[in-house]
Amino acid sequence: MAEKTDAQSPAPHVADSHDLIRVHGARENNLKDVSVEIPKRRLTVFTGVSGSGKSSLVFDTIAAESRRLINETYSAFVQGFMPTPGRPEVDVLDGLTTAIIVDQQRMGADPRSTVGTATDANAMLRILFSRLGEPHIGPPSAFAFNVPSVRASGAITVERGNSKAVKATFTRTGGMCTHCEGRGTVTDLDLTQLFDDSKSLNEGAITVPGYKGGGWNHRLYSESGFYDPDKPIGKFTEQERHDFLHREPTRMKIAGINMTYEGLIPRIRKSMLAKDKEAMQPHIREFVERAVTFTTCPGCDGTRLGEGARSSKIKGISIADACAMEIRDLAEWVGGLSHPSAAPLLTALRQTLDSFTEIGLGYLSLDRPAGTLSGGEAQRVKMVRHLGSSLTDVTYVFDEPTIGLHPHDIQRMNDLLLRLRDKGNTVLVVEHKPETIAIADHVVDLGPGAGAGGGTVCFEGTVEELRAGTTVTGRHLDDRARLKDTVRKPTGTLEIRGASANNLRDVDVDVPLGVMVVVTGVAGSGKSSLVHGSIPAGAGVVSVDQSPIKGSRRSNPATYTGLLEPVRKAFAKANGVKPALFSANSEGACPTCNGAGVVYLDLAVMAGVAAPCEDCEGKRFQPSVLEYRLGGKDISEVLAMPVAEAREFFGAGEARTPAARAVLDRLADVGLGYLTLGQPLTTLSGGERQRLKLAVHMAGKGGVYVLDEPTTGLHLADVEQLLGLLDRLVDSGKSVIVIEHHQAVMAHADWIVDLGPGAGHDGGRIVFEGTPADLVAARSTLTGEHLAAYVGA
């Protein structure tokens, strides 16, 4: 028998040498030829001030290229149905693995999309009830509120020898409530908000957005021929009124074009009411809130399910009851079930439900509409499907996973990130919170500034090396806020009585006015329900929430804030021409690219390419327009300026424009001095969008400002600037109410309202009211303990 004489370990296999993701020459957005090497199977955190280029490097370069390469492995036919991202601006990208992106994009705003349908939990419950439910009513589809019941009969011809017709019937049992079509609510339209019956159609009787005179929506009715467009609607006959409001879809020619005519009410239901309110443009949402009343469906009592699905039960619980439970209670109920035929299913369902609890979402229910989740909650719901995954050696990419998390919950999130890493995955996290930066194996700090002042790598290394370094992040990593020596005295109170929205338990609270109030508590404790439910935006109240800004790639800070209007007028006045020439969406637009600045080339089965327009060189305007100048600059040069530079430009000299300067001052106040005026809104981060909204609302006449986590996406160094802004608002006589988890904001408050003690049915109560100093001294709540530790008390 041969003996082994060589005791040395074999040389490492060449396949094990690919342990880095190498990026060289990245130039996406504001990145300036960035080169980094990221270790695989480690947790790497990307830090830097807002706008420094973190998302450009992680999402728009590394993750985008990984997705593009994976898409190319599919057939051309399949690629036709998939998004086709272009190749990022980078010289070398190797060592990539499959990227799974868990971002803050709100989940589908379809009214039939719920927490249960967005994960596998609902599908597994349907199978469970179809197997074990008594009485047995049918297959899993019989418990699905997205599936209608269908019955059909007819004849089919089978060509086999002599042709013969065979009678056939087809049935499918669905669980959809026929009354509300699976939405859980029914709508009632206020006709007085749809039209003015004292006017005729030609006089502009229809008051629905988008139905103004001259447009196709208006012409559909005024030129249909079913009634006289010059006759007041109030004088229509019964038949004319029916045709105007309720007529079924009818194919006909209008103005020489084949169109489908349909009554106004079914048309509005399809075009506007089929969408979730959260997904609507602001002016449409305003109309819907004015004209439509949403009431719980009387047919299914809001469960979305038909009678059959609600009648089948397991241990006295129907699928509607199960979906309405808090997920941690449902997990307990499922844990008590056992049946040999459903054992694997029960195991998988328990694991999924336990993942919700682990991730801090045990307070949600499966029937919660997906559109009502915050960005942080949506991101954590997406994480649920990855926690039990058997995949290893993939790259998980997270965008500030601690958003919306109380300091008490951040440790749990950190544990989950480390678990994903320990399974052999590469975890890339864009993050500002020091608690999460602290667990990193590797840190990449971008900066030094934002926008044009950023886009370079300032530091790579361990957390300890970052602390010892001189970068902005390193200097601020151990920042701790001080409690204020004196707090402001309230000028009045806002009384909230008997608040019971969602999980609130008949809450009575007096919110002081004329001061800065912070409403805090663990995720799911009822903060948003209390503030948004009891202090609705309206007369005197300005609410700045985290809902996304609606806008196309043509929208930019200049158009969104109204800044472009005084700028165009200033250019027009200085040159003696029309203001419309200085709009890239109007007369001044380059005819080749229609003012977009880029030409989109559809390459069929390959990814489309956006190439700069050759005629205007990406400037978006006709050459003749660029000859007109203001203060020595043309309109394209002004739109390419950062806010900080534009403030100086419009503040003095020939270009002095006080109206423009006022808007730019507000943008600088909210920390957006680095944004260029013409940057597309689609490229802004969530935190940047919220601050842009805040800048717009600061010009309003509101006396009470309600802010929902304004520190979202803010670097530690920027929080100070935000606090200064909030102080100025209060000192100018405004009342500021902030929903917030950041300890620095809590320490800076004049008054704290703490909800809890837990989440869901364990929350919904006021556990503390008073000054930050009193909260720290009492240490009676989770918030009090964390705030005391933060300020070093």
Side-chain angles (χ1 to χ4, degrees), residues 104 400 403 546 686-687 690-691 708-714 740:
Q104 291 172 43
E400 289 187 66
I403 278 183
Q546 293 185 31
Q690 191 182 9
R691 278 173 283 142
D708 194 348
E709 291 189 60
T711 59
T712 296
L714 274 189
E740 191 52 86

Side-chain angles (χ1 to χ4, degrees), residues 290-310:
R290 196 174 65 239
V292 183
T293 52
F294 290 86
T295 52
T296 302
C297 172
C300 64
D301 206 19
T303 62
R304 306 159 177 255
L305 291 159
E307 196 179 335
R310 286 179 282 129

Side-chain angles (χ1 to χ4, degrees), residues 777-789:
R779 283 185 173 82
S780 56
T781 68
L782 283 170
T783 306
E785 288 172 23
H786 284 278
L787 184 57

Side-chain angles (χ1 to χ4, degrees), residues 229-245:
D230 292 312
K231 181 178 178 183
I233 291 174
K235 294 185 177 174
F236 278 8
T237 64
E238 199 173 316
Q239 182 60 47
E240 286 173 336
R241 194 175 175 87
H242 175 269
D243 288 338
F244 174 55
L245 292 177

Side-chain angles (χ1 to χ4, degrees), residues 259-303:
M259 296 185 75
T260 300
Y261 176 92
E262 190 173 18
L264 186 63
I265 288 176
R267 199 153 192 265
I268 288 172
R269 286 193 188 280
K270 283 179 189 170
S271 64
M272 294 184 184
L273 306 190
K275 295 179 187 168
D276 186 79
K277 271 205 297 188
E278 301 299 316
M280 293 174 184
Q281 291 174 296
H283 69 291
I284 301 286
R285 189 188 312 180
E286 192 184 319
F287 161 74
V288 168
E289 285 170 349
R290 196 174 65 239
V292 183
T293 52
F294 290 86
T295 52
T296 302
C297 172
C300 64
D301 206 19
T303 62

Side-chain angles (χ1 to χ4, degrees), residues 72-137:
E72 286 189 354
T73 64
Y74 298 112
S75 68
F77 175 76
V78 172
Q79 285 183 51
F81 297 96
M82 301 175 76
T84 52
R87 190 184 188 284
E89 283 281 317
V90 61
D91 294 333
V92 178
L93 245 182
D94 61 25
L96 288 178
T97 68
T98 304
I100 294 174
I101 300 171
V102 188
D103 59 16
Q104 291 172 43
Q105 289 293 323
R106 296 291 179 107
M107 298 180 75
D110 186 287
R112 294 198 192 94
S113 178
T114 65
V115 170
T117 59
T119 58
D120 290 333
N122 210 282
M124 290 190 273
L125 264 183
R126 295 200 304 266
I127 298 169
L128 185 69
F129 273 85
S130 71
R131 298 285 187 277
L132 307 183
E134 293 290 339
H136 176 75
I137 61 161

Side-chain angles (χ1 to χ4, degrees), residues 22-37 56-57 61 87-94 455 457:
R22 293 192 310 124
V23 182
H24 286 285
R27 295 178 298 280
E28 270 301 303
N29 300 327
N30 68 330
L31 297 180
K32 297 170 182 169
D33 258 344
V34 164
S35 297
V36 289
E37 294 192 339
S56 299
L57 176 60
T61 304
R87 190 184 188 284
E89 283 281 317
V90 61
D91 294 333
V92 178
L93 245 182
D94 61 25
V457 174

